[in-house]
Amino acid sequence: LAAGAQPSEPSQTPSASPYSPETLEFEVEDISSVEAVELLLTQIEIVEAENSSFAPELGELSYDLGIQFDQLGLHEDALEAFLRADQNMKIREGLYSPNREALIQKIFEQHIALNDWESAEIALDSNAWLRARNVDANSLAYVEVLQDLVRWNLARDHYGVEEEESRSLVRAYSDLEDIFAIYDAQGLPLDDLTLDLAMTVNHMLSLDVLVLDSVQGRAGTAALDRTYFRQARAAMTACQSLYAEDLEVKQRCANSAERQIRQDLPEAIFVDYSSGQFDQGLSFYSRSYFRGKDILLTQIEILRETDQDARTLEALMKLGDWYLLFGYQRNAEEVYAAAWEYAQNVGLGDSIHMQAPQAISTAGLIESLPKLDVGNRSGEAQVAVTIAKNGEIERIEYLDIDIADEEAIAELSASLAASRYRPILRHGVPIAAVAYTVSKQVSY
């Protein structure tokens, strides 16, 4: 690949069929899913009667049957159909056929829909193993499956399905290191998705454990206290906007949101640095900020050397975002100003001037993560938020909502209050955004 070329990022659209459409006697797109299922089942019976259970046509028919069952929400039936198609593919093309990747991806998706996280992870690992058999695991072609593994572990951490705290994040970072090694060997900058994943994983690690100097005592937790009270106030505004006429419900909402915020704060661990004794395991968390900053600085340096102006500008903006996430407001403003000057020099000033706020860290990736949620109901909320120039949420107002569960609303309010955004930049200077509208979907 030429400098700056990127591997394809994990697709957000349904996988293409690994089969050719030659054996189908009808177009499933032209009829309803129910009719398609009936026709496919009939055709499967005919093929089995005329040939055998291992006839090549059965693989394609089973795959298309799985697609139709999936669209109908019949995930157990879809899973069975995809597993049969995969078995047929293994017989036809062998265990290591690259065409199996699309089938295993569908199997993975059905396990997700059935809330079977263990089987989903097995399917994901199987695809990684299959890709490694077919390409060099040190090549750019292997990056995509590593990204999928990182996103999976981020989802496990975000949705709280991991029994051992931080284990998923540690595994995610291990996969990221493999990606870093691939790009380093190629002398190329990271692709944009990997950069976002690296920033998110390091930020989330910093939010799990906060290592403080015991000599500072209570002063070391002051920042945590400020974070808690700020987020609690913002969540309160959300509850007030929705339950203004019902004081009891409003207070219950606020109390539930506060508990969620308190629960999500990092665990504070005090260490006596002066003693010279320090648990090296803790340094993995305490160095999250520095790792993220070093990754961004290296990215900017490589991009500048290869004259990739647009990507260099975005990396500079992400460095400013990084400082914001860790409370270094002055550093962030200096970097945003430098990014504005750079943008002006390369003719890209319009691309960042008065740009709409952008969610950063996990908030910017949630929609692309596997949805590991066991809720059987879902809803959507239209929300207006006030974003301060430091990217923090100051006020939340529900504009429209179809979520009929108080606890779900409280959790959403807490999540919104903890969100961070890249602020609007006017000539490179951060300014507040009032009543910025966002849409959130939740399962409960």
Side-chain angles (χ1 to χ4, degrees):
L1 293 177
Q6 302 178 50
S8 60
E9 298 182 353
S11 174
Q12 301 305 304
T13 57
S15 304
S17 171
Y19 297 95
S20 63
E22 296 173 357
T23 60
L24 282 185
E25 298 177 356
F26 55 89
E27 293 291 336
V28 295
E29 293 85 356
D30 296 334
I31 57 178
S32 72
S33 291
V34 173
E35 293 172 320
V37 165
E38 293 175 351
L39 288 169
L40 286 164
L41 287 172
T42 299
Q43 197 159 353
I44 286 172
E45 289 181 2
I46 294 172
V47 172
E48 287 182 322
E50 294 179 351
N51 297 284
S52 71
S53 297
F54 303 106
E57 299 91 340
L58 290 177
E60 178 188 351
L61 291 168
S62 296
Y63 178 86
D64 287 317
L65 182 62
I67 294 293
Q68 301 306 317
F69 277 137
D70 183 33
Q71 292 179 356
L72 290 168
L74 301 174
H75 299 295
E76 289 185 359
D77 294 316
L79 175 61
E80 182 180 349
F82 288 132
L83 285 170
R84 185 175 186 183
D86 184 45
Q87 181 65 25
N88 184 274
M89 179 70 73
K90 285 188 286 187
I91 294 171
R92 289 178 58 194
E93 301 185 12
L95 184 64
Y96 308 135
S97 170
N99 286 326
R100 290 188 61 218
E101 288 190 32
L103 286 166
I104 296 175
Q105 176 63 30
K106 288 297 182 185
I107 292 168
F108 166 78
E109 292 170 1
Q110 299 315 305
H111 285 310
I112 293 293
L114 293 168
N115 302 325
D116 186 352
W117 318 139
E118 182 177 353
S119 297
E121 185 163 339
I122 291 172
L124 198 61
D125 287 338
S126 295
N127 246 357
W129 170 83
L130 183 59
R131 181 69 66 89
R133 291 284 308 192
N134 289 299
V135 303
D136 183 355
N138 295 314
S139 70
L140 291 173
Y142 194 60
V143 167
E144 183 179 0
V145 292
L146 290 171
Q147 290 173 334
D148 283 341
L149 290 171
V150 174
R151 285 147 49 94
W152 168 255
N153 281 299
L154 266 176
R156 286 184 68 95
D157 180 79
H158 175 73
Y159 289 102
V161 300
E162 185 62 75
E163 294 181 2
E164 185 178 340
E165 191 173 357
S166 300
R167 179 186 173 200
S168 292
L169 291 177
V170 173
R171 291 169 62 188
Y173 192 80
S174 177
D175 290 324
L176 280 169
E177 286 188 311
D178 290 340
I179 299 178
F180 299 156
I182 291 172
Y183 278 108
D184 186 58
Q186 301 276 349
L188 294 173
L190 301 175
D191 67 276
D192 294 337
L193 175 58
T194 294
L195 189 61
D196 287 340
L197 291 171
M199 296 302 98
T200 299
V201 169
N202 276 295
H203 184 229
M204 296 310 295
L205 282 167
S206 75
L207 295 181
D208 270 7
V209 176
L210 180 62
V211 182
L212 300 170
D213 190 342
S214 60
V215 176
Q216 295 180 356
R218 178 62 185 167
T221 62
L224 269 184
D225 292 339
R226 287 194 296 271
T227 297
Y228 165 73
F229 287 117
R230 176 187 60 77
Q231 293 181 9
R233 284 196 303 269
M236 172 64 83
T237 66
C239 295
Q240 288 176 335
S241 74
L242 191 60
Y243 300 118
E245 303 301 323
D246 193 327
L247 296 180
E248 183 178 349
V249 177
K250 179 177 67 177
Q251 193 58 50
R252 281 204 307 266
C253 172
N255 291 341
S256 295
E258 286 184 33
R259 284 195 299 270
Q260 185 67 45
I261 290 167
R262 178 73 74 181
Q263 178 182 320
D264 291 340
L265 290 176
E267 177 187 2
I269 297 179
F270 292 92
V271 175
D272 184 1
Y273 288 99
S274 62
S275 69
Q277 297 180 345
F278 183 60
D279 183 351
Q280 292 302 312
L282 292 177
S283 68
F284 181 68
Y285 299 93
S286 65
R287 291 200 56 79
S288 298
Y289 164 74
F290 299 101
R291 282 197 304 268
K293 185 175 74 168
D294 290 344
I295 290 169
L296 285 165
L297 291 174
T298 300
Q299 179 83 346
I300 292 168
E301 181 181 357
I302 297 175
L303 289 171
R304 277 181 165 169
E305 290 175 352
T306 53
D307 296 323
Q308 298 183 62
D309 294 337
R311 295 190 67 205
T312 299
L313 175 59
E314 182 57 27
L316 280 169
M317 296 288 283
K318 287 177 179 177
L319 180 60
D321 300 341
W322 191 245
Y323 285 129
L324 274 190
L325 287 172
F326 287 86
Y328 298 110
Q329 181 69 24
R330 179 177 297 180
N331 299 67
E333 291 179 0
E334 290 175 354
V335 172
Y336 287 143
W340 169 252
E341 183 178 353
Y342 180 84
Q344 291 290 92
N345 291 337
V346 298
L348 294 173
D350 290 344
S351 67
I352 62 171
H353 179 60
M354 300 301 289
Q355 184 184 57
Q358 296 186 32
I360 55 180
S361 189
T362 310
L365 281 174
I366 289 175
E367 297 303 321
S368 69
L369 298 179
K371 291 178 171 54
L372 311 186
D373 203 318
V374 297
N376 54 20
R377 290 189 292 172
S378 62
E380 184 174 357
Q382 294 289 331
V383 187
V385 296
T386 297
I387 304 170
K389 69 175 186 178
N390 64 0
E392 295 176 346
I393 302 298
E394 290 187 333
R395 181 175 179 79
I396 303 166
E397 180 181 2
Y398 285 105
L399 303 177
D400 189 24
I401 189 169
D402 66 353
I403 303 171
D405 183 87
E406 288 181 23
E407 191 63 30
I409 291 170
E411 290 182 7
L412 175 58
S413 301
S415 175
L416 287 165
S419 299
R420 296 295 295 273
Y421 283 78
R422 175 187 298 171
I424 296 173
L425 299 179
R426 183 170 58 196
H427 303 297
V429 178
I431 61 173
V434 179
Y436 176 67
T437 303
V438 296
S439 177
K440 293 291 183 179
Q441 292 186 333
V442 298
S443 297
Y444 58 96

